């Protein structure tokens, strides 16, 4: 039996927003609901966003460009990966924070992309086809920006789901998403009625997570391992130290009604399928493109391209998500909170940055917020909550999908503060707590 875990929304959340649903292995099936339920008290901060009472939020940097993922070193140096190089041709910014503001001290890396992380004295960063690393000095700064190691090269970029997010474990391994260059592996991508390709060939080199060595230069596909497959596109991922396991957030497929109007209504297309959190072990298969996860039925459902009708259940060989959220909200970052600054209930839980939807019509668009998902013993537990809201600028902006700011990256600072990057205007937010 599966249990549906409800996500509550704060009082200021936009009317019409959906419950999120999470699931684990010993639960009771219940249906999703569109009813808005108020969560705990929130406070609108000087940064223009709302956070739970006791928390503060400030804007520490503005107008950086398309600030995708973000990393903060043990000594507080902030690194920002730009989706595209700035006017000077640089794709990585190094910022020093002082007196509540973060100023750019250096810019380097002549490539765009999304992934950036820090591990064992190195800064790792990705383009859409390669992964690099830079040595940090004693101040956690990249002193010699010209001295760069190319760790992985030759990854696929077919201009769809091309970003390469990265994370490292404690055993010297690096993990990267290689997104599927397709919506659902149709013979003719995104064409009405087109069926799925047999034994989807995309999965040979994309649609999953690949594992490489963290310190071996110039690795290619033949040097890595396909760690997990059946994942359409992962932008948010993190390593859960509680159970020493990789967790990822998948972007679910699009176009159920547009592609198969005889099987799905426009309402179903707006709400389905779920955006899923998976806990991965080596060899796992999450099922894309053959199945999707329906958070309303709490079931894996066979994709229409592969003979599904919206009700036929998927093969048990495909793993279940550990949490499932409403469709099309675009989870772009996942961060396990390991510090002690925030109240105890946040310890070892997960923050998720939802970039926001563009394709929920006729329903209002939704997302553009940071969610907190409680964990217990390394697995989602209890009700999730919208933790930071209001990035869009207004309820009207959210409903129209015209958000002023769109959360994209998350990082934990050395003092336990939470940093949020957004890629519309290049703002960096810092969220803290006063005990």
């Amino acid at each position: 039996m599966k249990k549906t875990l409800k996500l509550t929304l704060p009082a200021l959340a936009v009317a019409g927003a959906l419950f999120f649903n999470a699931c684990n292995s010993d639960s009771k099936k219940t249906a999703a609901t569109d009813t808005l339920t108020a969560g705990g008290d929130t406070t609108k901060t000087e940064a223009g966003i709302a956070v739970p009472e006791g928390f503060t939020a400030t804007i520490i940097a503005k107008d950086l460009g398309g600030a995708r993922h973000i990393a903060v070193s043990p000594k507080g140096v902030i690194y920002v990966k730009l989706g595209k190089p700035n006017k000077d041709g640089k794709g990585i910014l190094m910022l020093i924070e002082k007196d509540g503001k973060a100023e750019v001290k250096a810019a380097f890396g002549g490539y765009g992309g999304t992934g950036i992380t820090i591990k064992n004295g190195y800064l790792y960063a990705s383009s859409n086809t390669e992964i690099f690393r830079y040595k940090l000095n004693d101040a956690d700064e990249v002193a010699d920006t010209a001295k760069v190691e190319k760790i992985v090269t030759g990854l696929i970029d077919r201009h769809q789901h091309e970003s390469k997010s990265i994370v490292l474990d404690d055993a010297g391994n690096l993990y990267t998403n290689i997104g599927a260059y397709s919506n659902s592996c149709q013979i003719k991508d995104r064409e009405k009625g087109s069926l799925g390709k047999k034994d989807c060939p995309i999965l040979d080199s994309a649609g999953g997570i690949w594992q490489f060595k963290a310190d071996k230069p110039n690795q290619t596909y033949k040097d890595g391992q396909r760690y997990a497959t059946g994942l359409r596109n992962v932008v948010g991922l993190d390593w859960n130290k509680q159970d020493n396991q990789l967790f990822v957030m998948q972007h679910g497929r699009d176009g159920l009604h547009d592609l198969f109007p005889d099987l799905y209504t426009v309402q179903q297309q707006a709400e389905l399928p779920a955006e899923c959190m998976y806990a991965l072990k080596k060899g796992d298969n999450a099922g894309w493109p053959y199945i999707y996860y329906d958070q309303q039925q709490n079931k894996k459902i066979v994709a229409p391209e592969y003979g599904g009708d919206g009700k036929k259940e998927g093969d048990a060989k495909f793993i279940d998500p550990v949490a499932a959220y409403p469709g099309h909200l675009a989870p772009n970052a996942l961060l396990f909170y390991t510090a002690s600054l925030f109240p105890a209930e946040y310890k070892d839980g997960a923050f998720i940055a939802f970039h926001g939807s563009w394709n929920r019509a006729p329903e209002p668009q939704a997302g553009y917020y940071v969610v907190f998902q409680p964990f217990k013993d390394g697995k989602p537990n209890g009700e999730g909550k919208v933790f930071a809201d209001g990035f869009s600028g207004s309820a009207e902006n959210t409903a129209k999908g015209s958000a002023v700011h769109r959360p994209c990256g998350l990082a934990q600072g050395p003092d336990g503060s939470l940093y949020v990057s957004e890629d519309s205007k290049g703002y960096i937010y810092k969220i803290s707590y006063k005990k």
Side-chain angles (χ1 to χ4, degrees):
M1 298 288 286
K2 290 192 176 298
K3 182 180 180 183
T4 298
L5 301 176
K6 192 169 58 178
L7 178 120
T8 55
L9 302 174
L12 90 71
V14 177
L18 296 174
F19 278 142
F20 287 30
N21 298 276
C23 55
N24 61 29
S25 59
D26 56 347
S27 61
K28 175 181 177 183
K29 295 181 181 179
T30 60
T33 175
D34 292 339
T35 305
L36 180 67
T37 297
D41 293 333
T42 61
T43 302
K44 189 169 183 179
T45 66
E46 63 180 83
I49 62 173
V51 294
E53 287 193 353
F55 289 85
T56 61
T58 57
I59 298 167
I60 62 169
K62 294 183 177 182
D63 304 322
L64 298 177
R68 297 287 288 174
H69 283 178
I70 183 173
V72 182
S73 80
K75 294 185 178 178
V77 181
I78 302 167
Y79 291 92
V80 179
K81 189 72 195 70
L82 301 181
K84 296 179 180 179
N86 61 18
K87 62 182 181 180
D88 298 320
K90 307 302 182 184
I92 302 173
L93 305 179
M94 182 175 74
L95 287 75
I96 304 299
E97 185 180 353
K98 184 178 180 181
D99 298 327
K101 297 295 179 184
E103 300 292 338
V104 177
K105 182 175 181 179
F108 56 98
Y111 50 91
T114 289
I116 196 160
T117 192
I118 293 169
K119 190 74 173 181
N120 297 333
Y122 285 91
L123 175 73
Y124 290 79
S126 69
S127 70
N128 292 334
T129 58
E130 297 177 309
I131 302 171
F132 306 86
R133 76 171 184 175
Y134 304 81
K135 181 66 176 173
L136 301 179
N137 63 17
D138 291 343
D140 286 350
E141 297 179 7
V142 178
D144 187 352
T145 58
K147 189 174 183 180
V148 55
E149 295 179 81
K150 186 179 292 184
I151 301 299
V152 182
T153 189
L155 302 179
I156 278 182
D157 175 6
R158 300 279 176 85
H159 309 295
Q160 185 176 176
H161 306 148
E162 67 272 20
S163 66
K164 304 298 184 289
S165 301
I166 53 177
V167 72
L168 287 82
D169 63 18
D170 291 328
N173 299 304
L174 180 152
Y175 303 84
T176 186
N177 166 64
I178 304 178
Y181 45 94
S182 170
N183 176 46
S184 53
C185 206
Q186 291 174 284
I187 294 170
K188 295 184 178 180
D189 192 31
R190 298 180 187 266
E191 184 168 306
K192 183 179 177 180
S194 180
L195 297 181
K197 296 177 183 178
K198 184 180 178 181
D199 300 322
C200 182
I202 290 171
L203 294 171
D204 287 346
S205 56
I209 304 294
W210 265 253
Q211 181 191 67
F212 296 94
K213 294 298 181 184
D215 59 355
K216 182 181 178 181
N218 296 311
Q219 296 169 89
T220 62
Y221 275 103
K222 66 181 178 61
D223 302 296
Q225 299 183 58
R226 186 170 58 177
Y227 188 79
T229 192
L231 292 156
R232 178 176 177 267
N233 187 37
V234 167
V235 186
L237 76 174
D238 199 13
W239 193 263
N240 186 341
K241 293 181 179 292
Q242 271 194 299
D243 57 4
N244 197 33
Q245 191 172 2
L246 178 64
F247 278 68
V248 304
M249 296 295 307
Q250 177 179 234
H251 285 223
R253 59 161 298 156
D254 303 321
L256 288 170
H257 170 77
D258 289 347
L259 300 176
F260 295 91
D262 294 339
L263 298 176
Y264 298 91
T265 66
V266 290
Q267 185 75 29
Q268 287 175 308
Q269 175 171 277
E271 298 173 352
L272 300 174
E275 308 281 49
C276 290
M277 177 188 287
Y278 289 98
L280 298 179
K281 294 183 173 65
K282 187 176 180 180
D284 278 345
N285 187 338
W288 181 91
Y290 309 112
I291 61 100
Y292 62 86
Y293 192 79
D294 184 322
Q295 75 276 18
Q296 296 177 346
Q297 299 184 68
N298 286 336
K299 294 177 181 178
K300 298 187 293 281
I301 300 296
V302 176
E305 292 84 355
Y306 292 91
D309 59 1
K311 297 177 182 178
K312 184 179 179 181
E313 289 196 48
D315 197 313
K317 70 181 180 182
F318 301 127
I319 64 171
D320 286 319
V322 294
Y325 306 89
H328 315 303
L329 302 188
N332 269 14
L334 175 66
L335 174 73
F336 286 101
Y337 186 78
T338 59
S340 300
L341 175 65
F342 291 3
E345 62 263 31
Y346 290 91
K347 187 71 175 285
D348 297 319
F351 287 101
I352 308 164
F354 284 94
H355 199 239
S357 69
W358 58 270
N359 54 349
R360 287 184 51 83
E363 293 298 301
Q365 302 304 325
Y368 321 106
Y369 41 48
V370 176
V371 165
F372 176 72
Q373 174 63 60
F375 267 60
K376 182 179 181 180
D377 300 326
K379 297 291 183 263
N381 180 70
E383 292 185 348
K385 300 176 182 177
V386 172
F387 174 79
D389 199 358
F391 292 92
S392 73
S394 69
E396 293 75 20
N397 286 351
T398 295
K400 293 186 297 183
S402 57
V404 177
H405 304 285
R406 297 169 65 110
C408 190
L410 299 170
Q412 180 180 295
D415 68 347
S417 294
L418 178 70
Y419 292 76
V420 183
S421 58
E422 67 84 29
D423 61 358
S424 292
K425 294 185 178 298
Y427 280 33
I428 306 296
Y429 300 81
K430 182 179 182 179
I431 302 175
S432 299
Y433 183 77
K434 293 184 178 180
K435 295 184 179 181

